Amino acid sequence: MIFGYPLLSVVIWLPILFGLLVLATGNDRNAQMARVIALVGAVLSFLVTIPLYTGFDRLTSDMQFVVHDEWITRFNIFYYLGVDGISVLFILLNAFFTPLVVIAGWKVIEKRVAQYMAAFLIMSGLVNGVFAALDAVLFYVFWEAMLIPMFIIIGVWGGPNRVYAAVKFFLYTLMGSLLMLVALLYLYMQSGGSFSILDFHRTPLPSLTVQVLLFIAFFMAFSVKVPMFPVHTWLPDAHVEAPTGGSVVLAAIMLKVGAYGFIRFSMPILPDASHYLAPVMIALSLIAVVYIGLVALTQADMKKLVAYSSISHMGFVTLGFFIFNEYGIEGALLQMISHGFVAGALFLCIGVLYDRVHSRQIVDYGGVANKMPVFAAFFMLFAMANSGLPGTSGFVGEFMVIMGAVKANFWYAFAAASTLIFGAAYTLWMYKRVIFGAVANDHVAHLHDIGARETLVFAILAVFVLVMGLYPLPFADIMHASVNDLLVHLNISKIPN
Amino acid sequence: MDLLASLSPVYAEIFLLVMVSVILIVDQLIVNQTKTVTYLLVQFSLLGCSLITVATHQEGIVHLFNNMFVDDMMSDVLKLLTYLSVSMMLVYSRSYLLLRGLFTCEFMALALFATMGMMVMISASNFLSLYLGLELLALSLYAMVALQRDSAVATESAMKYFILGAMASGFLLYGMSMLYGATGSLDVYRIAEVIQHGTPNTTLMVFGLAFIVAGLAFKLGAVPFHMWVPDVYHGAPTAMTMFIGSAPKLAAFAFVMRILVEAMQPLMIHWSGMLMVLAVLSMAVGNITAIAQTNIKRMLAYSTIAHMGFMLLGVLSGSIEGYGSSMFYAVVYVLMSLGGFGMIMLLSREGFEADSLNDFKGLNQRSPWLAFMMLLLMFSMAGVPPTVGFYAKFSVLNAALQAGHIPLVVMAVLFSLIGAFYYLRIVKLMYFDAPESHEKIYIQPDSTLLVSINGLAVLLLGIMPGTLMSVCAVSVQQSLLH
């Protein structure tokens, strides 16, 4: 509690309230009003998160801005919110993306505008809730609730195969979550009747078997969201079918939720199982990095390519987590933030092309640079960042994770570093085929460059990508204490010798 | 005067009986096609019953008529909820039945008799009165299903319902007689005492118990005694389906509590195993078969079967926590079921039943508000937060886990994942598909308002579930203190 009001509650509920307000504007006759209200709501929701950054105490790993109220007393469930150096970054990232998504959908979405905008605002609030919740049930409620707007977004405004993708997305994630619920109930029993995540961190779990089983239950929930190999197959479908805004939010925010789950639940609650299963996690991560990287190389659909590239980059994140050193974890977290900016930007770029040509196939393009020079320049920057060029945000995280991996095992690092080659290969090759060369066809010949609205969005993102690449300290600095605390937790075995 | 005062726990039942008789007479005197007066009188009786039940509420447990009748907090809470759901059912079904010429005095009188049967069941503490209440309820329901005389389907389902219901009653009676033979009593508390301290013949008792559980499973619609559920749900006019699928589940819960828990708690090792089989089978068959349905009434019938399996999870965990969570589950289920069937009736028109899944196509384009309400109801049935259905599942799963049934809990969540698919399909139809007809939805103000309240209640109770949970838990706790 700071400034005398529960800041985190505002951060969560303000976008949701605005979402409901937008919904109340009704049908498409008031579309413009819905857009304006949505934008105001999104910008305000971002502005209220800024005190989280400015007022954050970087020296402590304790939870800050804590809100702790009674909720369901019967089960000892509290409305318990708080952020540490890890979660605060994701709340900021999420709040930052909401206005961009609203702007990106400004003209493109023409049917049921109010519902579209409302779904994004409500989801934004729910995602903030996921990152801020310190009570396991509260976490679970936000975690599941955010599926509903995403399901609707993909299913209503998505591509031709949207229904299949939406249902697959929902059922995949629900399967994982339900097992997590069982694990949470078990932990509730073990901890003597508390659902506080921080109490779970301290709950003794002396049996390795139990820890491994719980780890698997959490793994089911989080790995699906990350997504890790082999449960990644929903992501390309969901990305391809989702509207641009949906893809951006999926890539920039939703995938982070899964990785955040590992950091908040699996690793500190189950340190022994984490160590015990680390080789498996590392193996799966490396498969994602290398194999999925190769898969990305062969894609003919731009969105699919970026989707696979996301999976590959997220493999880096889980690799960084499970090598258990500071470089690894901080690198992974930076990679998550950077990937949010970069993948979000790439999906917006593809959206720009799709809005004009209505195709995502690489072969339908060629020579776009001749017609859209400004756009091509932005696209270049984001493509470079995606391939991890030094000076862009993509480099920092990858470099740190590779450094961490070298400390753990040279061959991990060796395999992981291959992504620098594959990543560059698939991204730049796509870039070359789409942007360079002679004007491929009539559609491309009739392209017009991006307008002020789109330029603004790309410029903001470009600034962040460059700033984070050149001066990552503000991002790394804030998470330092919390990462150290996490490592301490990880090194205390819960199994008595 | 003392006698009159001592009867206060049954004032509500007496009042209702008087009112039904009055209604039957008054209806003859007033010629009114729309039955407005009768309808208002019925609603008034239900309101009166609620006021009486609240006013005559007493702390602790009161026994009456040689322990035939018990008044405790659980019975009061369940009765209040029963009045509420019957009254909601009447609001929902009024215009639907009016259009079909079924909104007759008989219908309303039968509904009230059924309500009385449920009240007796809820408050019975003797096998005789339990059976009496059950039959009063069942006979009224058979007649209600058969009320649409010119419909072959309805008549067929009434027949099925009657035959299978009668058989189930036979099972129950047979089991009860065995228990009587073993313990020498029909009184719930006396039986409990004999089992606890006496030396009854265990074989005989367990034999009787098996029949009783089978009878209960019939009434609840648990697999493998579920065959009647889809046919009756499908065949009966939707208003009757709604009635069968709502309040009687509360009474059935009370029935399970009185027989299995209050009378035979010491035999828990025996019945909890039986219930476990019933629960797993119900969840499996209910959820899997529902996927194949194209008729939404049949789909909801299978979903009921699955929900009953879930509710049994709480009972079979054998703890006060568990019973409380089952009661919560039953209440939540009734709320969702009322909303779901209410929506079907709202979309139906004269000569048209909106009972095919396709009738929900594109509802979001025809009426975004109704689609949103249905979305809330469906997600609640699937158990997705932030709707109240999640807490219902949450609390029974928690109880089962506390009792150590980990594999059972894992199975339950997997089946509910399967279940999520068909609820999701309704949402998909409403939001993602184009409507088949653009006919304007005829908005009836009263039922639209009610469906909105119902849908929002599912959401608001999901955000603030604590109170209802505590009420259920406390009332179960209080009624088991004797």
Side-chain angles (χ1 to χ4, degrees), chain A residues 5 7 10-11 14 40-54 92 95-96 99:
Chain A
Y5 68 97
L7 185 58
V10 177
V11 165
L14 189 72
V40 171
V43 171
L44 275 181
S45 307
F46 174 60
L47 292 180
V48 295
T49 59
I50 290 176
L52 285 181
Y53 185 82
T54 53
L92 290 167
F96 169 75

PDB file of all heavy atoms in Angstrom, chain A residues 5 7 10-11 14 40-54 92 95-96 99:
ATOM      1  N   TYR A   5      -3.484   4.185  -1.260  1.00  0.00           N
ATOM      2  CA  TYR A   5      -4.512   3.374  -1.921  1.00  0.00           C
ATOM      3  C   TYR A   5      -3.887   2.088  -2.455  1.00  0.00           C
ATOM      4  O   TYR A   5      -2.691   2.036  -2.726  1.00  0.00           O
ATOM      5  CB  TYR A   5      -5.199   4.160  -3.041  1.00  0.00           C
ATOM      6  CG  TYR A   5      -4.329   4.472  -4.228  1.00  0.00           C
ATOM      7  CD1 TYR A   5      -4.351   3.673  -5.368  1.00  0.00           C
ATOM      8  CD2 TYR A   5      -3.468   5.569  -4.209  1.00  0.00           C
ATOM      9  CE1 TYR A   5      -3.551   3.957  -6.444  1.00  0.00           C
ATOM     10  CE2 TYR A   5      -2.667   5.848  -5.292  1.00  0.00           C
ATOM     11  CZ  TYR A   5      -2.714   5.050  -6.408  1.00  0.00           C
ATOM     12  OH  TYR A   5      -1.920   5.331  -7.465  1.00  0.00           O
ATOM     13  N   LEU A   7      -2.580   0.143  -4.757  1.00  0.00           N
ATOM     14  CA  LEU A   7      -2.167   0.357  -6.137  1.00  0.00           C
ATOM     15  C   LEU A   7      -2.410  -0.879  -7.015  1.00  0.00           C
ATOM     16  O   LEU A   7      -2.912  -0.778  -8.131  1.00  0.00           O
ATOM     17  CB  LEU A   7      -0.691   0.741  -6.151  1.00  0.00           C
ATOM     18  CG  LEU A   7      -0.117   1.121  -7.506  1.00  0.00           C
ATOM     19  CD1 LEU A   7      -0.882   2.263  -8.101  1.00  0.00           C
ATOM     20  CD2 LEU A   7       1.341   1.484  -7.362  1.00  0.00           C
ATOM     21  N   VAL A  10      -5.867  -1.354  -8.159  1.00  0.00           N
ATOM     22  CA  VAL A  10      -6.211  -0.441  -9.245  1.00  0.00           C
ATOM     23  C   VAL A  10      -5.651  -0.969 -10.554  1.00  0.00           C
ATOM     24  O   VAL A  10      -6.333  -0.994 -11.585  1.00  0.00           O
ATOM     25  CB  VAL A  10      -5.656   0.971  -8.951  1.00  0.00           C
ATOM     26  CG1 VAL A  10      -5.957   1.898 -10.115  1.00  0.00           C
ATOM     27  CG2 VAL A  10      -6.264   1.509  -7.679  1.00  0.00           C
ATOM     28  N   VAL A  11      -4.412  -1.435 -10.496  1.00  0.00           N
ATOM     29  CA  VAL A  11      -3.766  -1.939 -11.711  1.00  0.00           C
ATOM     30  C   VAL A  11      -4.568  -3.099 -12.312  1.00  0.00           C
ATOM     31  O   VAL A  11      -4.674  -3.228 -13.525  1.00  0.00           O
ATOM     32  CB  VAL A  11      -2.320  -2.384 -11.378  1.00  0.00           C
ATOM     33  CG1 VAL A  11      -1.743  -3.228 -12.482  1.00  0.00           C
ATOM     34  CG2 VAL A  11      -1.464  -1.170 -11.112  1.00  0.00           C
ATOM     35  N   LEU A  14      -8.789  -1.569 -12.902  1.00  0.00           N
ATOM     36  CA  LEU A  14      -9.071  -0.438 -13.796  1.00  0.00           C
ATOM     37  C   LEU A  14      -9.315  -0.898 -15.242  1.00  0.00           C
ATOM     38  O   LEU A  14     -10.324  -0.536 -15.841  1.00  0.00           O
ATOM     39  CB  LEU A  14      -7.945   0.595 -13.717  1.00  0.00           C
ATOM     40  CG  LEU A  14      -8.245   1.894 -14.444  1.00  0.00           C
ATOM     41  CD1 LEU A  14      -9.294   2.694 -13.686  1.00  0.00           C
ATOM     42  CD2 LEU A  14      -6.993   2.745 -14.598  1.00  0.00           C
ATOM     43  N   VAL A  40      -8.499   5.241 -24.073  1.00  0.00           N
ATOM     44  CA  VAL A  40      -8.339   5.986 -22.817  1.00  0.00           C
ATOM     45  C   VAL A  40      -8.092   5.009 -21.670  1.00  0.00           C
ATOM     46  O   VAL A  40      -7.179   5.180 -20.856  1.00  0.00           O
ATOM     47  CB  VAL A  40      -9.599   6.835 -22.542  1.00  0.00           C
ATOM     48  CG1 VAL A  40      -9.544   7.431 -21.152  1.00  0.00           C
ATOM     49  CG2 VAL A  40      -9.724   7.924 -23.588  1.00  0.00           C
ATOM     50  N   GLY A  41      -8.895   3.955 -21.640  1.00  0.00           N
ATOM     51  CA  GLY A  41      -8.741   2.964 -20.578  1.00  0.00           C
ATOM     52  C   GLY A  41      -7.374   2.330 -20.611  1.00  0.00           C
ATOM     53  O   GLY A  41      -6.713   2.174 -19.571  1.00  0.00           O
ATOM     54  N   ALA A  42      -6.925   1.969 -21.801  1.00  0.00           N
ATOM     55  CA  ALA A  42      -5.638   1.282 -21.900  1.00  0.00           C
ATOM     56  C   ALA A  42      -4.505   2.206 -21.475  1.00  0.00           C
ATOM     57  O   ALA A  42      -3.587   1.796 -20.746  1.00  0.00           O
ATOM     58  CB  ALA A  42      -5.427   0.807 -23.333  1.00  0.00           C
ATOM     59  N   VAL A  43      -4.574   3.462 -21.908  1.00  0.00           N
ATOM     60  CA  VAL A  43      -3.497   4.383 -21.548  1.00  0.00           C
ATOM     61  C   VAL A  43      -3.507   4.654 -20.051  1.00  0.00           C
ATOM     62  O   VAL A  43      -2.467   4.610 -19.385  1.00  0.00           O
ATOM     63  CB  VAL A  43      -3.629   5.692 -22.356  1.00  0.00           C
ATOM     64  CG1 VAL A  43      -2.661   6.721 -21.831  1.00  0.00           C
ATOM     65  CG2 VAL A  43      -3.380   5.417 -23.820  1.00  0.00           C
ATOM     66  N   LEU A  44      -4.688   4.892 -19.505  1.00  0.00           N
ATOM     67  CA  LEU A  44      -4.773   5.105 -18.054  1.00  0.00           C
ATOM     68  C   LEU A  44      -4.246   3.894 -17.299  1.00  0.00           C
ATOM     69  O   LEU A  44      -3.514   4.025 -16.318  1.00  0.00           O
ATOM     70  CB  LEU A  44      -6.230   5.349 -17.656  1.00  0.00           C
ATOM     71  CG  LEU A  44      -6.740   6.773 -17.785  1.00  0.00           C
ATOM     72  CD1 LEU A  44      -8.190   6.841 -17.324  1.00  0.00           C
ATOM     73  CD2 LEU A  44      -5.875   7.698 -16.944  1.00  0.00           C
ATOM     74  N   SER A  45      -4.616   2.719 -17.785  1.00  0.00           N
ATOM     75  CA  SER A  45      -4.176   1.505 -17.096  1.00  0.00           C
ATOM     76  C   SER A  45      -2.663   1.386 -17.125  1.00  0.00           C
ATOM     77  O   SER A  45      -2.059   0.850 -16.202  1.00  0.00           O
ATOM     78  CB  SER A  45      -4.769   0.268 -17.756  1.00  0.00           C
ATOM     79  OG  SER A  45      -6.145   0.385 -17.853  1.00  0.00           O
ATOM     80  N   PHE A  46      -2.081   1.887 -18.213  1.00  0.00           N
ATOM     81  CA  PHE A  46      -0.620   1.855 -18.241  1.00  0.00           C
ATOM     82  C   PHE A  46      -0.055   2.897 -17.283  1.00  0.00           C
ATOM     83  O   PHE A  46       0.886   2.620 -16.536  1.00  0.00           O
ATOM     84  CB  PHE A  46      -0.107   2.105 -19.662  1.00  0.00           C
ATOM     85  CG  PHE A  46       1.377   2.220 -19.747  1.00  0.00           C
ATOM     86  CD1 PHE A  46       2.200   1.168 -19.353  1.00  0.00           C
ATOM     87  CD2 PHE A  46       1.984   3.388 -20.188  1.00  0.00           C
ATOM     88  CE1 PHE A  46       3.569   1.272 -19.409  1.00  0.00           C
ATOM     89  CE2 PHE A  46       3.359   3.503 -20.249  1.00  0.00           C
ATOM     90  CZ  PHE A  46       4.155   2.445 -19.851  1.00  0.00           C
ATOM     91  N   LEU A  47      -0.649   4.073 -17.295  1.00  0.00           N
ATOM     92  CA  LEU A  47      -0.116   5.141 -16.435  1.00  0.00           C
ATOM     93  C   LEU A  47      -0.160   4.739 -14.965  1.00  0.00           C
ATOM     94  O   LEU A  47       0.774   5.042 -14.219  1.00  0.00           O
ATOM     95  CB  LEU A  47      -0.899   6.437 -16.670  1.00  0.00           C
ATOM     96  CG  LEU A  47      -0.675   7.052 -18.053  1.00  0.00           C
ATOM     97  CD1 LEU A  47      -1.496   8.320 -18.199  1.00  0.00           C
ATOM     98  CD2 LEU A  47       0.803   7.341 -18.287  1.00  0.00           C
ATOM     99  N   VAL A  48      -1.201   4.060 -14.546  1.00  0.00           N
ATOM    100  CA  VAL A  48      -1.257   3.713 -13.121  1.00  0.00           C
ATOM    101  C   VAL A  48      -0.215   2.669 -12.738  1.00  0.00           C
ATOM    102  O   VAL A  48       0.052   2.476 -11.550  1.00  0.00           O
ATOM    103  CB  VAL A  48      -2.647   3.213 -12.668  1.00  0.00           C
ATOM    104  CG1 VAL A  48      -3.685   4.300 -12.789  1.00  0.00           C
ATOM    105  CG2 VAL A  48      -3.065   1.967 -13.403  1.00  0.00           C
ATOM    106  N   THR A  49       0.374   1.998 -13.726  1.00  0.00           N
ATOM    107  CA  THR A  49       1.405   1.020 -13.340  1.00  0.00           C
ATOM    108  C   THR A  49       2.762   1.689 -13.142  1.00  0.00           C
ATOM    109  O   THR A  49       3.670   1.081 -12.585  1.00  0.00           O
ATOM    110  CB  THR A  49       1.572  -0.075 -14.412  1.00  0.00           C
ATOM    111  OG1 THR A  49       1.937   0.551 -15.636  1.00  0.00           O
ATOM    112  CG2 THR A  49       0.327  -0.890 -14.580  1.00  0.00           C
ATOM    113  N   ILE A  50       2.901   2.911 -13.609  1.00  0.00           N
ATOM    114  CA  ILE A  50       4.228   3.536 -13.520  1.00  0.00           C
ATOM    115  C   ILE A  50       4.727   3.692 -12.075  1.00  0.00           C
ATOM    116  O   ILE A  50       5.892   3.422 -11.800  1.00  0.00           O
ATOM    117  CB  ILE A  50       4.227   4.875 -14.296  1.00  0.00           C
ATOM    118  CG1 ILE A  50       4.146   4.531 -15.796  1.00  0.00           C
ATOM    119  CG2 ILE A  50       5.472   5.682 -14.006  1.00  0.00           C
ATOM    120  CD1 ILE A  50       4.045   5.719 -16.699  1.00  0.00           C
ATOM    121  N   PRO A  51       3.846   4.063 -11.135  1.00  0.00           N
ATOM    122  CA  PRO A  51       4.336   4.114  -9.746  1.00  0.00           C
ATOM    123  C   PRO A  51       4.898   2.776  -9.269  1.00  0.00           C
ATOM    124  O   PRO A  51       5.741   2.752  -8.359  1.00  0.00           O
ATOM    125  CB  PRO A  51       3.083   4.492  -8.951  1.00  0.00           C
ATOM    126  CG  PRO A  51       2.193   5.151  -9.913  1.00  0.00           C
ATOM    127  CD  PRO A  51       2.483   4.562 -11.251  1.00  0.00           C
ATOM    128  N   LEU A  52       4.484   1.688  -9.874  1.00  0.00           N
ATOM    129  CA  LEU A  52       5.046   0.397  -9.478  1.00  0.00           C
ATOM    130  C   LEU A  52       6.545   0.386  -9.744  1.00  0.00           C
ATOM    131  O   LEU A  52       7.322  -0.212  -8.998  1.00  0.00           O
ATOM    132  CB  LEU A  52       4.407  -0.742 -10.277  1.00  0.00           C
ATOM    133  CG  LEU A  52       2.995  -1.177  -9.911  1.00  0.00           C
ATOM    134  CD1 LEU A  52       2.567  -2.333 -10.798  1.00  0.00           C
ATOM    135  CD2 LEU A  52       2.927  -1.600  -8.465  1.00  0.00           C
ATOM    136  N   TYR A  53       6.938   1.043 -10.845  1.00  0.00           N
ATOM    137  CA  TYR A  53       8.358   1.061 -11.180  1.00  0.00           C
ATOM    138  C   TYR A  53       9.083   2.118 -10.368  1.00  0.00           C
ATOM    139  O   TYR A  53      10.109   1.843  -9.742  1.00  0.00           O
ATOM    140  CB  TYR A  53       8.530   1.334 -12.679  1.00  0.00           C
ATOM    141  CG  TYR A  53       9.957   1.243 -13.143  1.00  0.00           C
ATOM    142  CD1 TYR A  53      10.519   0.005 -13.425  1.00  0.00           C
ATOM    143  CD2 TYR A  53      10.743   2.375 -13.270  1.00  0.00           C
ATOM    144  CE1 TYR A  53      11.833  -0.095 -13.832  1.00  0.00           C
ATOM    145  CE2 TYR A  53      12.055   2.283 -13.683  1.00  0.00           C
ATOM    146  CZ  TYR A  53      12.607   1.044 -13.955  1.00  0.00           C
ATOM    147  OH  TYR A  53      13.907   0.949 -14.344  1.00  0.00           O
ATOM    148  N   THR A  54       8.514   3.322 -10.340  1.00  0.00           N
ATOM    149  CA  THR A  54       9.227   4.408  -9.659  1.00  0.00           C
ATOM    150  C   THR A  54       9.267   4.185  -8.153  1.00  0.00           C
ATOM    151  O   THR A  54      10.238   4.540  -7.492  1.00  0.00           O
ATOM    152  CB  THR A  54       8.547   5.750  -9.954  1.00  0.00           C
ATOM    153  OG1 THR A  54       7.168   5.611  -9.630  1.00  0.00           O
ATOM    154  CG2 THR A  54       8.686   6.131 -11.407  1.00  0.00           C
ATOM    155  N   LEU A  92       4.374  -4.403 -15.933  1.00  0.00           N
ATOM    156  CA  LEU A  92       4.667  -3.230 -16.755  1.00  0.00           C
ATOM    157  C   LEU A  92       4.596  -3.591 -18.235  1.00  0.00           C
ATOM    158  O   LEU A  92       4.014  -2.864 -19.041  1.00  0.00           O
ATOM    159  CB  LEU A  92       6.049  -2.688 -16.412  1.00  0.00           C
ATOM    160  CG  LEU A  92       6.148  -2.041 -15.036  1.00  0.00           C
ATOM    161  CD1 LEU A  92       7.602  -1.826 -14.647  1.00  0.00           C
ATOM    162  CD2 LEU A  92       5.411  -0.717 -15.040  1.00  0.00           C
ATOM    163  N   ALA A  95       0.928  -4.016 -19.248  1.00  0.00           N
ATOM    164  CA  ALA A  95       0.197  -2.747 -19.316  1.00  0.00           C
ATOM    165  C   ALA A  95       0.685  -1.917 -20.499  1.00  0.00           C
ATOM    166  O   ALA A  95      -0.084  -1.178 -21.113  1.00  0.00           O
ATOM    167  CB  ALA A  95       0.376  -1.976 -18.023  1.00  0.00           C
ATOM    168  N   PHE A  96       1.962  -2.060 -20.817  1.00  0.00           N
ATOM    169  CA  PHE A  96       2.543  -1.320 -21.930  1.00  0.00           C
ATOM    170  C   PHE A  96       1.938  -1.780 -23.261  1.00  0.00           C
ATOM    171  O   PHE A  96       1.722  -0.977 -24.167  1.00  0.00           O
ATOM    172  CB  PHE A  96       4.054  -1.555 -21.914  1.00  0.00           C
ATOM    173  CG  PHE A  96       4.773  -1.078 -23.141  1.00  0.00           C
ATOM    174  CD1 PHE A  96       5.005   0.268 -23.341  1.00  0.00           C
ATOM    175  CD2 PHE A  96       5.222  -1.981 -24.085  1.00  0.00           C
ATOM    176  CE1 PHE A  96       5.669   0.706 -24.467  1.00  0.00           C
ATOM    177  CE2 PHE A  96       5.883  -1.555 -25.213  1.00  0.00           C
ATOM    178  CZ  PHE A  96       6.115  -0.197 -25.408  1.00  0.00           C
ATOM    179  N   PRO A  99      -2.283  -0.623 -24.736  1.00  0.00           N
ATOM    180  CA  PRO A  99      -2.621   0.470 -25.673  1.00  0.00           C
ATOM    181  C   PRO A  99      -2.166   0.164 -27.094  1.00  0.00           C
ATOM    182  O   PRO A  99      -2.879   0.486 -28.059  1.00  0.00           O
ATOM    183  CB  PRO A  99      -1.858   1.674 -25.123  1.00  0.00           C
ATOM    184  CG  PRO A  99      -1.428   1.316 -23.762  1.00  0.00           C
ATOM    185  CD  PRO A  99      -1.425  -0.167 -23.646  1.00  0.00           C
TER     186      PRO A  99
END
